[in-house]
Amino acid sequence: MGILSRKAFLSAFLATVVVAALPEVALGEPASAWKQRIVYQILTDRFASSSTAPCTDLQTYCGGTFNAAAGKLAYVAELGCDALWISPIVENTADGYHGYWAKNFDLVNPHFGTSADLQTFVSDAHSAGIFVMLDVVANHVGNVDLDFSTIVPFNRSEHYHTKCQITDWDNQQQVEVCRLANLPDLNQTQPLCA
């Protein structure tokens, strides 16, 4: 991958995962249309599962999928909601059931289903008159400490700020460059991360 700004990278990522995969779906709605919507936020892993077994370990995946979420679109509409905000979809590090511990920005998290499952979910939502908003995390990756070799495409130490923890929330420098919960903080001065 060539060097892209963060905005270009995220645009390319979203285009690859959603837009290119869904040519029959509108590329988006204007802000004025979103302002009229009632948004329901879902954590994909927790919202709907094909299993009837209860989740006994809330620290890991519980089985929620795009396919099961598609089966709950009528429920969302019954609540009076006409837009969904879904948790991040990229492959995560171990136990990243919430989607906020990115490992590979090029792949859909297999715990939630396939790229085709995501495409069907979004198409079904649009057919039901429900807009879909995707949560994207562009500040940090999953907890890999200093071994960045498994993070795609940010697999080199120069992609990250020097390891430090936020200890003073009133210190803007710390807030911008140090780690929250030990999650490696992307260095936005690097071209690939900018």
Side-chain angles (χ1 to χ4, degrees):
M1 172 188 268
I3 296 177
L4 299 173
S5 70
R6 176 185 290 162
K7 184 176 178 182
F9 171 75
L10 291 176
S11 295
F13 171 73
L14 290 175
T16 301
V17 173
V18 179
V19 176
L22 299 170
E24 73 282 359
V25 175
L27 297 180
E29 297 292 336
S32 59
W34 277 95
K35 289 178 182 180
Q36 305 303 313
R37 296 288 167 148
I38 298 172
V39 180
Y40 188 87
Q41 184 178 14
I42 67 170
L43 190 63
T44 303
D45 183 66
R46 299 301 201 258
F47 180 61
S49 171
S50 58
S51 172
T52 57
C55 182
T56 58
D57 183 0
L58 296 180
Q59 300 299 311
T60 190
Y61 289 93
C62 288
T65 65
F66 300 126
N67 287 338
K72 301 280 278 185
L73 291 171
Y75 165 77
V76 171
E78 288 170 10
L79 292 175
C81 298
D82 50 11
L84 282 173
W85 173 2
I86 65 172
S87 54
I89 62 164
V90 299
E91 181 182 30
N92 271 227
T93 56
D95 299 331
Y97 65 89
H98 39 66
Y100 296 98
W101 293 349
K103 175 182 177 182
N104 188 330
F105 287 85
D106 293 337
L107 297 176
V108 170
N109 190 329
H111 290 277
F112 304 153
T114 66
S115 180
D117 295 336
L118 174 61
Q119 294 165 24
T120 299
F121 170 65
V122 172
S123 291
D124 289 352
H126 287 177
S127 293
I130 298 173
F131 289 13
V132 178
M133 176 182 359
L134 174 64
D135 198 341
V136 176
V137 178
N139 184 62
H140 64 264
V141 298
N143 190 354
V144 293
D145 196 32
L146 296 173
D147 179 10
F148 308 117
S149 63
T150 60
I151 305 298
V152 176
F154 308 112
N155 59 359
R156 299 195 323 237
S157 61
E158 59 264 25
H159 294 142
Y160 302 89
H161 290 117
T162 302
K163 184 178 179 180
C164 59
Q165 302 298 325
I166 301 171
T167 58
D168 179 1
W169 288 96
D170 293 322
N171 180 326
Q172 190 62 34
Q173 179 68 12
Q174 273 191 24
V175 171
E176 290 183 18
V177 303
C178 292
R179 294 178 176 203
L180 172 64
N182 203 41
L183 299 173
D185 193 77
L186 288 163
N187 184 350
Q188 290 78 20
T189 65
Q190 292 295 310
L192 184 61
C193 305

